[in-house]
Structure formats: structure tokens, C-alpha cells
Amino acid sequence: MRILAFDIGGTNIKYATLDEKFKITDKHTIATEAQKGGQELVQKIISIIESYSDIDRVAISTAGQVDSDNGIVVYSTDNIPYYTGMMVKKLIENKTGIPTYVENDVNAFAVGEAKFGAAKGKTDFLALTYGTGIGGALYLDNKLYKGMGCSAGEFGHMVTHAGGKQCTCGGEGCYECYASTRALLESVNKRNSTNLNAFEIFEKENFEKPEIRSVIDQWIDEMIIGLINIIYIFNPPLIVLGGGIMNENYVIDLIDRKIYNLLMENFRDVNIVRSKLGSDAALLGVASEAAKL
């Protein structure tokens, strides 16, 4: 079996082929160009699929709340305009004839980590990814918990600042307005009149500037606020954190050093770890589900 898997984020699309043993080959990254909207995005995916031959399954991990049984994006914020209601599975299958599985990106990330990564062998854990927004997934009793409307785990839209910044979801003060990677970039560049990306912020010449370090530390405090809320609600044994920003040791180390002293003593057994699979987690997770079609 040959699977073509996609991981669609608000900024980039990663795609790769996988064999029946889920070995990843031929991996690429392109810009999402999310501002062009859902229809353009799906057409881009179809064009990529049609450039391959001998594909047996298509696997789509995507931002947005997803009804995976029917392959429909049931809700998307304005991070990808006009994506809500998009029948991704039907559009792709009608055009290519290839069986297609569609899942929310953080759900796919959680499945990947459960089957192949940091949560392998665990029956219960939570997953969060930090990027353009903040996504979440609940893996309970050895399976995903999706909620009544396939939308459970929207941790990025917890309100952590009442009456705060306007969010793309239409609300105010959402967690991702303060603790996403995009929020970090906006804060650093606004305060310092720069145009640094996430990797450049952590380069030595920038990271060692007190004015940049103070913004990073405040941002990590915002991350911790949300994590504490989640820990108090779910009392999980394990939380897996993903997103490219988690490759920075400073981030995960400072979370680890600070958060336990802020938790009530009987909640401190939670283990907070970074993704073992990194950017491959969602590709592996969604491909393993597509293989079941």
C-alpha cells in the first residue's frame, strides 16, 4: 500500500508518501497560502495528488474541526477563510477516485504520538500543538475523544484574558492570542521593530538581548497559564507538546521548571514532554488511519 499524506497548517503544508510499514519518503513543504481560502486550498491538494501515480490512499491532516467519518471541515476560523463546511473527502475522491481519510491535525498528531511516539503504550494523555494557533486533542481510554460535534480539545480558544485581544474565532482573550507561536512573533517584532521568524528569535545574537528574552519569558508564562487550567480540568498523566517551537530546549525546560511550583501538590505527577516525532507525527497518525479504509 502506498499512502500520500498531507499535514495542512495555517502557514505550511507538509506532504509525503508512506509505505505499508509507514516509512516516510519523498517529503515536501509548501506554503499554505491560507488567505486564498478553502476552495483554493483543496484544489492545491488535488493538483499535488494528481502529480503522483500508484497512490492507494490519501490521508489529510488539517487545521479546523473535522467530522472524520464524513471528511468534512465542520468549522474553521478565519486562519483559513471559507473552509467551514468544506467536503474535503468528497471533493478529493470525486476528482481522483482514491479513498481519502480526513482528520483534524492535532487529533492526527495525537494518534501518531500514541502509535509511534512519545505516548506509545499510553492509554490516556492530552496533546497540544503551538503554531499559527493552538490545537488540542484528548486521547482517552486508548482512543480519541472528539465530543458531540467532533470539536473537543479546542484548547486554543479557552479564554485566558477576559475582554482581551480579538481572536480569529470571533471571541476575545483566547489562549492562542497570547501563547501561540504567532503571538510570540507579533510581540517580539512589535516591541523591537524587527521582522524575525521563530528560528531567528532563538538565535544567540537575538535570544541574548534582554528586551527579546523578556518577551519570550512572558510568552512562556502565557503557555503555562493555559496548561495549568487544562491540568486542573483533566488531571492527565501525560501531556505531549508539539509544534516547531518545541524544538527550542529553552521553551520546554522553562515550562518544566516553572509549572510544577504553580500547581497544587496533588496535580504535580503530570508528565509534560515534547513530541518524539516532531513534524512527522500528524503525517504518521493520519496515514495509519487512512490505511484502515
Side-chain angles (χ1 to χ4, degrees):
M1 179 180 290
R2 192 164 182 238
I3 303 166
L4 179 57
F6 294 83
D7 182 19
I8 302 170
T11 304
N12 293 313
I13 299 169
K14 295 180 283 290
Y15 64 96
T17 55
L18 299 91
D19 62 19
E20 66 279 356
K21 295 183 179 180
F22 305 109
K23 180 181 178 181
I24 294 176
T25 57
D26 192 35
K27 187 163 66 172
H28 304 272
T29 301
I30 60 172
T32 306
E33 298 180 299
Q35 72 281 358
K36 292 184 178 180
Q39 190 68 41
E40 286 288 333
L41 173 57
V42 173
Q43 290 306 312
K44 180 184 289 192
I45 297 301
I46 289 171
S47 295
I48 294 169
I49 296 168
E50 291 179 335
S51 71
Y52 284 81
S53 58
D54 301 323
I55 295 297
D56 300 296
R57 299 288 187 274
V58 172
I60 307 287
S61 157
T62 181
Q65 299 166 12
V66 175
D67 171 1
S68 58
D69 290 336
N70 297 296
I72 299 171
V73 178
V74 296
Y75 180 76
S76 174
T77 70
D78 286 342
N79 286 338
I80 305 177
Y82 312 113
Y83 203 31
T84 297
M86 191 69 63
M87 295 185 286
V88 178
K89 174 182 171 70
K90 182 178 180 180
L91 289 168
I92 291 173
E93 290 184 344
N94 285 352
K95 186 67 175 177
T96 68
I98 302 172
T100 298
Y101 181 81
V102 186
E103 182 58 277
N104 165 266
D105 52 358
V106 192
N107 283 344
F109 169 87
V111 171
E113 292 293 339
K115 292 187 176 181
F116 309 103
K120 188 174 181 179
K122 306 296 183 183
T123 59
D124 297 271
F125 69 96
L126 306 181
L128 288 91
T129 59
Y130 295 79
T132 305
I134 297 174
L138 295 86
Y139 199 87
L140 307 175
D141 294 328
N142 217 30
K143 62 182 181 295
L144 288 169
Y145 175 77
K146 299 186 181 183
M148 180 179 65
C150 307
S151 303
E154 278 292 343
F155 300 137
H157 298 291
M158 296 185 300
V159 176
T160 57
H161 293 259
K165 296 177 183 177
Q166 187 74 36
C167 183
T168 55
C169 74
E172 294 179 341
C174 293
Y175 182 40
E176 70 177 42
C177 293
Y178 299 88
S180 64
T181 303
R182 179 168 63 181
L184 172 64
L185 296 179
E186 289 174 352
S187 295
V188 167
N189 290 322
K190 182 178 180 180
R191 182 174 297 186
N192 298 280
S193 300
T194 54
N195 191 30
L196 301 174
N197 62 36
F199 301 105
E200 291 167 341
I201 286 172
F202 286 90
E203 289 176 351
K204 186 175 180 180
E205 63 269 26
N206 295 314
F207 182 68
E208 292 184 348
K209 294 177 180 177
E211 63 273 21
I212 289 181
R213 181 75 68 87
S214 67
V215 174
I216 294 171
D217 287 353
Q218 183 179 357
W219 169 72
I220 292 172
D221 285 343
E222 295 287 355
M223 296 175 74
I224 289 170
I225 288 170
L227 289 170
I228 287 172
N229 287 333
I230 292 166
I231 290 166
Y232 282 152
I233 293 168
F234 293 101
N235 192 22
L238 174 68
I239 298 177
V240 181
L241 304 182
I245 202 73
M246 289 302 158
N247 293 325
E248 302 294 340
N249 289 331
Y250 183 79
V251 177
I252 195 75
D253 289 348
L254 192 56
I255 291 172
D256 196 55
R257 288 203 308 271
K258 282 189 169 187
I259 194 166
Y260 295 101
N261 291 330
L262 298 171
L263 288 166
M264 286 190 285
E265 189 173 349
N266 56 320
F267 285 84
R268 292 177 186 169
D269 287 339
V270 59
N271 190 19
I272 301 174
V273 301
R274 79 177 85 194
S275 163
K276 185 176 180 180
L277 303 174
S279 62
D280 292 339
L283 292 173
L284 285 162
V286 78
S288 68
E289 293 299 301
K292 299 175 183 177
L293 295 177

